[in-house]
Amino acid sequence: MANDNEFIRFDWAVKHMLRDKSNFSILEGLISVLLGENITIVEILESESNQVSRSDKFNRVDVKAKNSKGHIIIVEVQLTRQLNYLERILYGVSKAIVEHLNLGDSYDKVKKVYSISILYCDMGKGDDYVYHGTTEFRGMHTGNTLLINSRDREVLKMTSPSKIMPEFYIIRVNQFSKIPENYLDEWVNYLKTGQVKEGSRAPGLPEVREKLKVLNMTAQERRDYDAHIDALRTQNDVLASYRIEGLEEGRVMGLMEGRAQGLLEGRAESHEQGLLEGRAEGRAEQAMDIARKMRDAGMKPDQIRSITGIDIE
């Protein structure tokens, strides 16, 4: 039974509810917190990526927005659990650029793309839960940053490639495990738990509390949403099973490879080394045999240790 503090998960809402103009403020809040400036969504862009069917290939939403300077940008938000998520991110950004450049447009019409990827998986290694990547060109000999010609509002000026090239934000939801300390933490906490803590003031989260309550869903919406949650649980169980099986397979393969390597190295070792190891092993077995006989004869453990050198344990 849903309670009054249970909110619709973001991965469901972004595909089914946040496309509505009345809910733009929620997505604007997340984007603004990440980019560190006020972002206003102009429209949800029509493209083949913006599918909502359960079997859609491109689980992402492209939005056309304005930044604090009034410049038009394209923001691509995608949710992924796939292994090849870096390739998927690159593919999604490339499509966002190409799909929204009209045939015959010059390249100065290319819009800057911000890619926001929310990873509901533990694939990768890193000690942070949010990563940001940009593109820069540095001299191989001097180390300086290349500036290039660019046209902005019909004015030719020098700019850094990072001002034009896509920027990438990766949010590793499962890596977050602390008490929220700022707006970004509040957002990531909601992305992970589906809960909005009392007193959360991050842009967009008050609207989540108002508009994304599970209690407000219709019966059909709730059935579809519950099916989505069940599918996620099943998927997580499968991923966990694969991880366990992979670890076990890796352990077995490691043992096999280690034994094979040991045999190869053993053959390469000198005969003298083999004799030394054999003699040492033989002496150890002999000491154990003597210790057993002493024990059976009623000798105390301390006496056995002092004679054979074998630990009491």
Side-chain angles (χ1 to χ4, degrees):
M1 186 72 177
N3 59 62
D4 195 50
N5 196 42
E6 184 178 355
F7 302 97
I8 299 168
R9 283 173 53 109
F10 185 80
D11 54 345
W12 172 269
V14 77
K15 294 294 292 180
H16 297 269
M17 305 177 71
L18 302 189
R19 301 166 184 274
D20 190 317
K21 191 171 183 177
S22 64
N23 294 328
F24 278 2
S25 57
I26 295 175
L27 200 51
E28 286 173 347
L30 172 60
I31 299 170
S32 296
V33 167
L34 270 179
L35 272 57
E37 60 177 317
N38 291 327
I39 299 297
T40 302
I41 294 177
V42 177
E43 62 177 323
I44 299 294
L45 294 171
E46 293 298 329
S47 71
E48 63 177 278
S49 68
N50 286 339
Q51 303 176 46
V52 295
S53 67
R54 184 172 298 179
S55 61
D56 68 19
K57 180 178 179 181
F58 311 104
N59 188 18
R60 74 179 218 257
V61 175
D62 296 341
V63 300
K64 182 179 180 180
K66 286 184 179 181
N67 62 12
S68 57
K69 297 179 181 179
H71 295 173
I72 295 295
I73 61 175
I74 295 174
V75 181
E76 180 217 32
V77 180
Q78 64 173 309
L79 309 129
T80 181
R81 294 170 178 269
Q82 295 181 350
L83 179 61
N84 298 322
Y85 61 82
L86 286 179
E87 291 85 349
R88 177 171 177 162
I89 291 171
L90 177 61
Y91 181 75
V93 168
S94 301
K95 285 188 69 64
I97 294 173
V98 173
E99 287 176 356
H100 307 300
L101 183 67
N102 294 325
L103 187 64
D105 281 349
S106 61
Y107 291 122
D108 64 350
K109 300 297 183 182
V110 171
K111 304 300 182 184
K112 183 174 177 68
V113 174
Y114 291 87
S115 172
I116 301 171
S117 298
I118 303 171
L119 303 185
Y120 287 91
C121 55
D122 293 318
M123 299 167 185
K125 183 178 181 180
D127 57 6
D128 208 332
Y129 51 93
V130 179
Y131 287 84
H132 176 218
T134 60
T135 299
E136 288 187 339
F137 298 122
R138 292 190 175 274
M140 294 180 61
H141 301 95
T142 63
N144 67 335
T145 301
L146 175 68
L147 297 178
I148 59 177
N149 293 329
S150 177
R151 185 181 300 277
D152 182 21
R153 296 180 182 274
E154 305 305 319
V155 177
L156 192 65
K157 64 178 184 178
M158 302 295 289
T159 189
S160 167
S162 63
K163 300 295 184 182
I164 299 172
M165 297 294 184
E167 289 190 32
F168 300 88
Y169 291 85
I170 295 179
I171 303 175
R172 302 173 69 218
V173 172
N174 293 343
Q175 191 69 21
F176 182 80
S177 59
K178 68 173 190 174
I179 298 175
E181 299 175 354
N182 51 48
Y183 288 168
L184 181 56
D185 287 353
E186 290 179 358
W187 255 104
V188 179
N189 182 73
Y190 163 60
L191 294 177
K192 179 177 182 177
T193 66
Q195 302 296 317
V196 180
K197 290 184 174 295
E198 289 289 344
S200 295
R201 294 176 297 158
L205 289 186
E207 288 82 358
V208 169
R209 295 185 62 88
E210 176 187 350
K211 301 179 179 181
L212 297 188
K213 286 187 177 182
V214 172
L215 281 176
N216 294 341
M217 301 177 83
T218 66
Q220 183 59 51
E221 288 173 340
R222 184 61 193 268
R223 284 192 291 271
D224 292 340
Y225 180 65
D226 288 343
H228 171 70
I229 298 300
D230 288 341
L232 291 181
R233 292 190 182 118
T234 300
Q235 180 173 268
N236 287 335
D237 289 343
V238 171
L239 289 174
S241 298
Y242 282 159
R243 188 178 298 114
I244 294 172
E245 292 172 2
L247 288 173
E248 179 62 21
E249 182 179 351
R251 186 185 71 83
V252 173
M253 292 299 295
L255 287 172
M256 294 175 64
E257 292 175 1
R259 289 168 182 164
Q261 183 67 22
L263 288 173
L264 292 174
E265 292 176 354
R267 294 190 183 107
E269 290 176 348
S270 66
H271 179 64
E272 181 179 357
Q273 180 66 26
L275 287 175
L276 289 173
E277 292 179 358
R279 288 168 183 165
E281 186 176 345
R283 284 196 294 269
E285 285 293 332
Q286 185 178 22
M288 286 295 295
D289 186 53
I290 293 172
R292 294 189 190 97
K293 291 178 180 179
M294 289 178 174
R295 180 196 60 193
D296 294 341
M299 293 184 67
K300 296 181 179 179
D302 287 340
Q303 294 174 314
I304 298 175
R305 180 180 60 180
S306 64
I307 295 173
T308 64
I310 295 176
D311 187 85
I312 292 179
E313 294 297 328

